[in-house]
Amino acid sequence: MSQDYYESHRGEWQWQDGEYTVTRTTAWSGPGCHDGCGVLYYTKNGKLEKVEGDPDNPFNQGTLCMRCLEMPEFVNNPTRLGHPMKRAGERGENKWERITWEEALDIIEEKVRAIWADYGPESIVCHIGTGRNNCDQIPYLCYAAFGSPNFSMGYLAGDSCFCPRSASMASQNGDFMIADCSQQFEKRYDESTGWRCPEVIVNWGCNAIVSNSDNFYGGWIVDCMQRGSKMITVDPSLTWLAARSEYWLRVRPGTDAALAMAMLNVIISEDLYDHDFVECWCYGFDELAERVSDWTPERAAEVCWVEAEDIVGAARLYAQAKPAAIQWGLKLDQTTNATATACAVNSLWVVTGNVDNPGGNIVIRNAFDQNLSYGYGYHLLSPEVQAKRLGAEFPLMSRAGYSSSAHADSVLQAIETGEPYPIRMVWMTSTNPIANMGADAPRIYRALKGVDFVVVNDLFMTPTAVAFADLVLPAAMSPERNSQRCWWVPNRTLTKVTQYEECVSDDDLVTMVGKRLHPENFPWDDNIGWINHIFEHETNDKLPYKSFEEAQKVVWSYPEFQYLKHEKGLLRPDGQPGFNTPSGRIELYNTNLMLWGYDPLPDFKEPSCSPVSNPELAEKYPLVLTTGARSFEFFHSEHRQAGTVSRELHPDPLFEMSAKSAAEHGLSEGDWAWIENQRGRCRQKLHVNPSLDDRVVRAEHGWWFPETEGAEPNLFGVFDSNINNLTPQCENGDTGFGAPYANQLCRVYRCTEENSEVLPGEQVTKHGGYSKVIDESNGDVKVGAIYG
């Protein structure tokens, strides 16, 4: 479309383009990602035909990834779930009976009331997937409808997706901080806002332009690079950003804390830190300096497999840039040392004075004080019920308030053991844990088989639904829901433009269930009524609209933003200058952690499963395994449907190793191979990555094959290529946060007809885990690892 076309419709939220109705709105729901990008939906006769990026939307400025562009393929996909169903056979048989919504609600109400009477509401658990437009509705379902304190992510070990970084920032800074790429301004890169382009951006532990994580659109970094930003990238692989960086620090997976502490050592010992900021606004600098004094670049180089001179050079470049920003990601969360690692990286932007300054790491809160997230509705629970939230043994989660969800590993253990009380019902919305989030997929499978009542609310029939569900409820996609949300800024609306069969949005489904169980907590009738209630009760008086009807025409709204809020008394409840911490300063010596019995300073701990900590295991499994690298085609376990652009471009699960390492293992590009360790194995296809350290393997996650048989033992092939056969559940950091998805050990060998005779899916579903299959001719273990 021409620029003139867009100019002619500037300011309109809906218009007619020939036979198409064009609607300007936001995409923010499964299938999707973390970001709420501006889109133009083209519908004809009520059917979504095309999606374009909205060039007027400041968030993404007309750009879109392929996942949004192919949305019509998924919205109109004939394999979608279209109506409620109840299980007709045994779990795992994939036999279903179509029922009405009223019948489904009747079943839910009957089961919930029975559990209340026999066990109490805490015996109900709710799970969601990650980062979409259900992060306040499903928690509200759990708290306000079911009356349970046990909302959590879908068995995400150590809550290791932003939660460790969140807890570290909240305790250390008193607020969240993000890299300033001008995303908080509607004018964006216009310098009249006071924004300055960062001289240096550190992209640490994420491939930002592919992952777009934490509501951070990776293209913003590219925009800054075009305006002069230099890059430092910390990543085991040479990504697009790493290839364009002044320094690429090819860190050994799981050792980021050592790297951060060595960079702090250089900055402090060479007197490159910001004296004025440290003296005025920091607490515990001397203690931090002492802690990192032993972490010389040479020591870190040995630990991290990074050259010492590169550590020194990167630290100097970052410290001497004014301003500089750090954009970090998931891999910092996915070690057992996650909390300390986040504190170490956070300390880098603090000691250099890149705090809430233009182009640094800015203090950010949700637009118009709208803080609807995992804690929405929690206040409706009595203190007695809140005290029963699973994970109470971790003070940061249960008492310090740095987590608003139940501890996922503790939920799993309660299901397995019945302690501290039994779990009788599990509700899962848009989460597919045995394909993706659950760190030990076979263990999750065994546990959920024993839960009395399971509801799965999703877009497609998934392995999780087939294996466990008693009820399957069809979820609406982005174009099929009226809703609103903000993650930081701006505040955004979603407008419904189409309907697929009987699919229902999260807002409406939660309302329907809630009105059956606790109508006093649901004083609205539908999604629009709920949105209007939020505007009235959950935002401040600066919100520029009071109803959804007004908001959908505006589409997005930015609050006023100010830099250097700590100097202006805008962060503390008492209105005094400073930060919202006990000392009023950013706490390099973290008194919040100290009060709860944890180390108040960052430290490095060698991963428990590594060549250093476990050399005997490394003799058998000599390669360092890291998991979860993102691809353009998929968002976790979504977009795997056959015949879609995603699967055409990326048909098979891929793992990566260097050319030298591949040759040593007798493998070539495109070979199928087994990845195995002491916990289990899976098979993926080799992609040679010449940039990897010869000792490292990178494997993809989230794989299942919807085109294959859904019934057990196959379950859409969910276990056969599942890297989470090899990662441990319930191995967390001492704070409860963090899990070692990023660092395991493994070996790799070619798939053959003989060693593929029995696949992991059959072993897990028939035997509950891996077991020895012995070749009687020579006594060798044919299948590989022993599980359980």
Side-chain angles (χ1 to χ4, degrees), residues 406-440:
H407 184 236
D409 301 85
S410 298
V411 171
L412 175 61
Q413 290 172 321
I415 292 173
E416 292 174 327
T417 67
E419 298 295 335
Y421 45 78
I423 301 302
R424 297 302 183 188
M425 174 179 168
V426 172
W427 176 294
M428 290 183 272
T429 288
S430 297
T431 186
N432 188 7
I434 58 171
N436 180 44
M437 295 178 86
D440 187 336

Side-chain angles (χ1 to χ4, degrees), residues 116 121-122 124-127 136-152 374 376-378 381 385 406 427 510 518 522:
W116 283 351
E122 64 273 14
I124 301 173
V125 170
C126 291
H127 299 302
D136 56 276
Q137 296 94 328
I138 305 306
Y140 197 81
L141 171 73
C142 190
Y143 308 137
F146 297 149
S148 170
N150 290 319
F151 160 81
S152 80
Y374 297 156
Y376 185 37
Y378 193 67
L381 302 176
V385 172
W427 176 294
V510 172
H518 276 296
F522 294 83

Side-chain angles (χ1 to χ4, degrees), residues 664-677:
E664 289 174 351
H665 289 80
L667 298 172
S668 302
E669 177 75 24
D671 285 345
W672 284 90
W674 288 107
I675 310 166
E676 179 186 278
N677 67 11

Side-chain angles (χ1 to χ4, degrees), residues 462-583:
T462 64
T464 295
V466 173
F468 315 118
D470 301 291
L471 279 183
V472 174
L473 307 177
M477 296 187 184
S478 274
E480 302 163 342
R481 57 176 69 191
N482 294 312
S483 194
Q484 72 88 45
R485 192 190 172 198
C486 64
W487 187 347
W488 315 138
V489 294
N491 196 67
R492 283 157 274 194
T493 55
L494 286 68
T495 293
K496 180 176 179 177
V497 298
T498 188
Q499 174 69 42
Y500 184 81
E501 296 189 9
E502 297 180 45
C503 293
V504 168
S505 71
D506 299 314
D507 310 66
D508 277 334
L509 175 55
V510 172
T511 298
M512 290 191 300
V513 174
K515 280 189 168 294
R516 290 288 195 103
L517 297 169
H518 276 296
E520 70 278 9
N521 293 334
F522 294 83
W524 51 80
D525 295 322
D526 56 18
N527 51 54
I528 293 177
W530 195 350
I531 296 167
N532 292 337
H533 184 272
I534 288 170
F535 288 162
E536 182 178 357
H537 297 281
E538 307 293 345
T539 58
N540 64 35
D541 57 9
K542 296 180 181 179
L543 186 73
Y545 33 71
K546 298 300 180 184
S547 71
F548 176 76
E549 290 78 7
E550 296 174 39
Q552 74 175 158
K553 296 176 175 61
V554 177
V555 186
W556 64 83
S557 185
Y558 285 78
E560 179 187 3
F561 181 84
Q562 295 188 53
Y563 288 111
L564 302 174
K565 291 181 281 294
H566 57 286
E567 296 181 359
K568 303 169 184 176
L570 299 177
L571 299 178
R572 296 177 59 83
D574 59 13
Q576 295 299 307
F579 294 88
N580 192 24
T581 62
S583 65

Side-chain angles (χ1 to χ4, degrees), residues 672 674 749-757:
W672 284 90
W674 288 107
Y749 54 96
R750 184 188 299 273
C751 290
T752 65
E753 184 175 345
E754 182 184 30
N755 66 30
S756 304
E757 182 180 337

